[in-house]
Amino acid sequence: MNSATRMTEPVLEVRALCKRFGGLVATDQVSLDVRPGEVHALIGPNGAGKTTLVHQLSGTLPPDSGSILFRGDDVTHLAANARVLRGLVRSYQITSIFRQHSVLDNVALAVQARSGSSFRFWRPVRDESALFDEARAVLARVGLADRADVLAANLAHGEQRQLEVGLAVATRPAMLLLDEPMAGMGPEESERLIPLIDGLRKDVSILLIEHDMDAVFRLADRISVLVSGRVIATGTPDDIRANADVKRAYLGDELEAASGGEA
Amino acid sequence: MQRALTLAALALAIAFPMAAVPLDLDFYIGFASRVMIYAIAATSLNLILGYGGMVSFGHAAFFGTGAYVVAIAMTHGIDSLWVSWPLAMLVSGIVALGIGAISLRTRGVYFIMITLAFAQMMFFVFIGLKAYGGEEGLNMPHRSVIGLGLNLKNDATFYYVVLTVLVATLYLLRRLIDARFGRVVEAIRENEARMETIGFSTYRYKLTCFVIAGMVCGLAGALIANQTRYVNPNLMHWIVSGDMMIMIILGGLGYRFGGVLGAIVMLVLDEAISPYTTYSKIVIGFVLLAVVLFAPRGLAGLFDRKRVRAGGGHG
Ligand SMILES: Nc1ncnc2c1ncn2[C@@H]1O[C@H](COP(=O)(O)OP(=O)(O)O)[C@@H](O)[C@H]1O
Ligand SMILES: [Mg+2]
């Protein structure tokens, strides 16, 4: 990471990834890369296979073929938790938090995962102030500082989405796979998440899946478009806006829909 | 408040044999020891089931293993408590490692079935083990030898040894649950998939938890063998596993004193009712139903005002 030449190498490289569910090809020869410090957005209609791709990148689902390289290492067959420890961390489109834990405890768990062994049987966690200090710092970052002691189940929907991202951030990732972080958020809640994601790019590379086109075009350095499991285009936001295939397949509808209902 | 209650209960438990002897209630010293032994076993099950969310239906396998180790060791002339009880824990731990390593690869109903199957398999193995009594089981000529100028033949002495083990078990459980390991185990119960994707190898934690529980239950088995001076394969029967489950559901899943409360209620009820009817299990069934309906967090949950458990459950 410290050499200047490596800075230009992609952090994440996906090569010809394939995944079928019976007759359905959910991931069809997907190749893409994410460069250091880049926000690479992945857009596409519902059912395009975006979440399925995240499942494979994070190790939740095994691909049928193809490979995943992270920081130069092949992680295609690495267990999910091992990828996290290497810095490849995801968040979920469908909120997955510890509902019966306080907000602070949620984040402290994620911090605990990355700071030393948890095969410790004697010392009470509550005495480990370093864990909670770091957890509070993360909460401040995702805008939940004043909700630390609330039970996660009792958070408002938008706040649960913030916590969802907070859990991922707390693991000190080198790369984040954010699966529709703004899903179900109101406009002003999304507005809070945008600077957070923007601020992360200093030290984290991001693959951002998002339906909110306004957020995508504001945040992304590059955009890839996934339709029916295939990447039909990759390029700068301007390229993508101008791309006729993309317009036909997806973006035209989406931009029209943006004035009307929710995507 | 809970601390005061705990200390009062402990004081009562310490005073009990001293009061029982003059009152001619010696019989109940043995009974109380039995209750405490089941409390230890149920507490160990509570660690994996209540805290860890692993619905093991074969916990009696470790109970029986611990008991047999002590009895078999005695037939080979090993009667020191300091050797045979740790050996019981060690062997039970190894058995738990084997059973856990395989069954923890499965989920949900498969896990329940496979743990049950392993325990029943061991039950039949010991029935077939004619060298150690087969179906008849084994008698122990005497209780384990403790030394230190004490003799476990004395029921009050044995009672205090059991009480010591119980208190130690509860204390260790508390340390473990409050420590990092316990945090991880409880969070796995809540959301195992997310634990993986924040970086925990959940399998390793669950297996470790399973082995610890197996060892503690093996120690309870060593105690029950000494209590009755008799072991047989029924100690491993699924009914015993089921009884332990009922105890912690009654007492409170995931509560430190859940196993203790459940063992007391269940065994006292059984003892009180069985002279009058052969249907004591049915009465216990109704009590269980009432607890599940009116105190779904179990008896320990009734004392717990602070902890609000939001919906969800064992995931
Ligand atoms: N476990 C599964 N089994 C079968 N089909 C699935 C499974 N997961 C997703 N799919 C299907 O794969 C396609 C892609 O789904 P998904 O990755 O969730 O899309 P997106 O996140 O882009 O909306 C959809 O048609 C979906 O129904
Ligand atoms: Mg999706």
Side-chain angles (χ1 to χ4, degrees):
Chain A
M1 294 307 100
N2 38 20
S3 91
T5 52
R6 288 199 65 179
M7 292 304 287
T8 53
E9 282 174 26
V11 182
L12 181 77
E13 221 182 319
V14 182
R15 289 183 191 157
L17 212 63
C18 289
K19 179 77 194 176
R20 297 174 166 274
F21 296 116
L24 178 83
V25 186
T27 307
D28 190 359
Q29 297 284 337
V30 167
S31 295
L32 55 82
D33 61 78
V34 180
R35 297 169 193 153
E38 179 184 39
V39 175
H40 189 144
L42 182 67
I43 62 174
N46 274 322
K50 303 180 297 295
T51 297
T52 303
L53 180 64
V54 171
H55 284 330
Q56 294 167 85
L57 299 180
S58 65
T60 313
L61 263 183
D64 295 335
S65 61
S67 57
I68 303 161
L69 277 79
F70 181 62
R71 291 165 137 181
D73 298 325
D74 189 330
V75 297
T76 317
H77 303 290
L78 208 60
N81 69 294
R83 296 183 201 201
V84 175
L85 298 181
R86 291 192 181 200
L88 180 58
V89 184
R90 72 172 294 183
S91 75
Y92 287 82
Q93 177 179 0
I94 297 165
T95 307
S96 179
I97 54 180
F98 303 96
R99 296 173 55 82
Q100 296 170 33
H101 287 63
S102 75
V103 171
L104 183 64
D105 283 345
N106 263 268
V107 178
L109 269 168
V111 173
Q112 186 181 321
R114 276 301 281 277
S115 40
S117 167
S118 283
F119 283 98
R120 295 194 198 159
F121 304 89
W122 199 253
R123 184 176 172 210
V125 171
R126 60 178 172 275
D127 295 348
E128 294 195 46
S129 50
L131 285 185
F132 292 100
D133 291 346
E134 196 177 331
R136 281 182 197 283
V138 170
L139 286 182
R141 223 167 154 187
V142 298
L144 288 172
D146 52 345
R147 306 291 275 160
D149 299 321
V150 178
L151 202 66
N154 295 339
L155 289 177
H157 175 80
E159 293 173 322
Q160 293 193 355
R161 297 301 297 158
Q162 284 165 269
L163 180 57
E164 171 67 45
V165 174
L167 281 180
V169 169
T171 61
R172 289 181 231 141
M175 158 131 210
L176 275 172
L177 311 164
L178 299 175
D179 194 357
E180 302 201 25
M182 292 154 197
M185 276 188 164
E188 69 282 8
E189 288 170 324
S190 306
E191 215 42 58
R192 261 185 283 154
L193 217 51
I194 290 172
L196 165 71
I197 294 171
D198 201 31
L200 285 170
R201 76 165 94 211
K202 285 199 301 289
D203 28 38
V204 187
S205 314
I206 296 173
L207 183 69
L208 173 67
I209 293 167
E210 192 44 67
H211 269 306
D212 182 335
M213 284 307 127
D214 177 47
V216 166
F217 282 97
R218 275 162 70 187
L219 286 167
D221 299 302
R222 285 191 301 158
I223 299 174
S224 289
V225 184
L226 194 72
V227 176
S228 306
R230 277 177 172 278
V231 176
I232 61 164
T234 295
T236 65
D238 287 339
D239 293 342
I240 295 300
R241 244 192 226 106
N243 187 306
D245 289 343
V246 176
K247 267 194 193 140
R248 199 175 319 115
Y250 175 57
L251 214 50
D253 299 347
E254 201 67 29
L255 289 176
E256 279 159 33
S259 53
E262 170 93 4
Chain B
M1 172 63 183
Q2 210 198 25
R3 196 183 177 83
L5 268 179
T6 309
L7 287 175
L10 181 61
L12 211 67
I14 292 171
F16 176 69
M18 301 176 216
V21 175
L23 291 173
D24 227 17
L25 293 170
D26 309 38
F27 165 78
Y28 288 102
I29 297 178
F31 173 70
S33 300
R34 201 160 73 85
V35 171
M36 290 192 292
I37 292 168
Y38 276 93
I40 296 164
T43 299
S44 72
L45 177 61
N46 207 0
L47 175 61
I48 49 177
L49 203 163
Y51 290 93
M54 295 167 256
V55 187
S56 165
F57 203 165
H59 209 55
F62 314 121
F63 198 52
T65 301
Y68 263 100
V69 167
V70 169
I72 291 174
M74 197 167 275
T75 67
H76 293 287
I78 301 166
D79 56 9
S80 165
L81 170 160
W82 306 105
V83 178
S84 64
W85 294 18
L87 191 65
M89 291 180 78
L90 181 72
V91 175
S92 307
I94 292 169
V95 171
L97 185 66
I99 293 179
I102 295 168
S103 33
L104 286 170
R105 300 207 178 269
T106 67
R107 293 281 127 90
V109 107
Y110 298 100
F111 180 75
I112 301 176
M113 297 309 286
I114 198 168
T115 47
L116 172 64
F118 270 120
Q120 284 300 95
M121 214 166 75
M122 291 191 50
F123 169 74
F124 287 112
V125 164
F126 276 90
I127 282 188
L129 209 60
K130 298 287 182 255
Y132 296 113
E135 216 166 342
E136 304 294 312
L138 273 178
N139 277 304
M140 283 166 53
H142 56 84
R143 284 181 175 159
S144 298
V145 175
I146 187 171
L148 312 169
L150 298 170
N151 191 338
L152 295 189
K153 190 175 176 206
N154 180 313
D155 277 337
T157 307
F158 183 68
Y159 172 100
Y160 283 116
V161 169
V162 175
L163 179 61
T164 306
V165 174
L166 175 62
V167 170
T169 300
L170 292 169
Y171 179 68
L172 292 178
L173 176 69
R174 187 215 175 121
R175 297 298 309 203
L176 183 147
I177 287 305
D178 287 347
R180 278 185 172 216
F181 182 79
R183 284 269 168 141
V184 172
V185 165
E186 283 201 282
I188 288 173
R189 178 192 67 213
E190 235 201 287
N191 191 344
E192 181 169 2
R194 188 59 184 205
M195 285 300 275
E196 286 281 342
T197 47
I198 59 175
F200 289 103
S201 166
T202 59
Y203 177 77
R204 285 169 59 204
Y205 290 93
K206 291 199 295 185
L207 185 55
T208 305
C209 188
F210 198 82
V211 170
I212 293 171
M215 291 175 77
V216 173
C217 195
L219 180 58
L223 293 171
I224 203 71
N226 273 279
Q227 161 73 14
T228 53
R229 290 197 290 108
Y230 171 63
V231 300
N232 74 10
N234 283 335
L235 288 169
M236 307 188 173
H237 197 269
W238 67 265
I239 287 180
V240 177
S241 298
D243 281 348
M244 289 181 196
M245 272 173 126
I246 293 172
M247 283 176 194
I248 56 175
I249 293 168
L250 278 174
L253 287 167
Y255 285 102
R256 187 150 58 106
F257 294 108
V260 180
L261 291 173
I264 292 174
V265 170
M266 188 151 157
L267 294 178
V268 168
L269 267 180
D270 193 50
E271 188 71 22
I273 305 165
S274 43
Y276 305 104
T277 165
T278 48
Y279 300 115
S280 65
K281 290 274 184 203
I282 294 180
V283 176
I284 290 170
F286 276 110
V287 172
L288 181 66
L289 202 62
V291 167
V292 169
L293 287 177
F294 301 111
R297 293 185 295 157
L299 298 171
L302 295 174
F303 295 91
D304 174 29
R305 311 209 171 282
K306 197 167 69 223
R307 183 154 55 151
V308 188
R309 291 210 157 194
H314 300 171

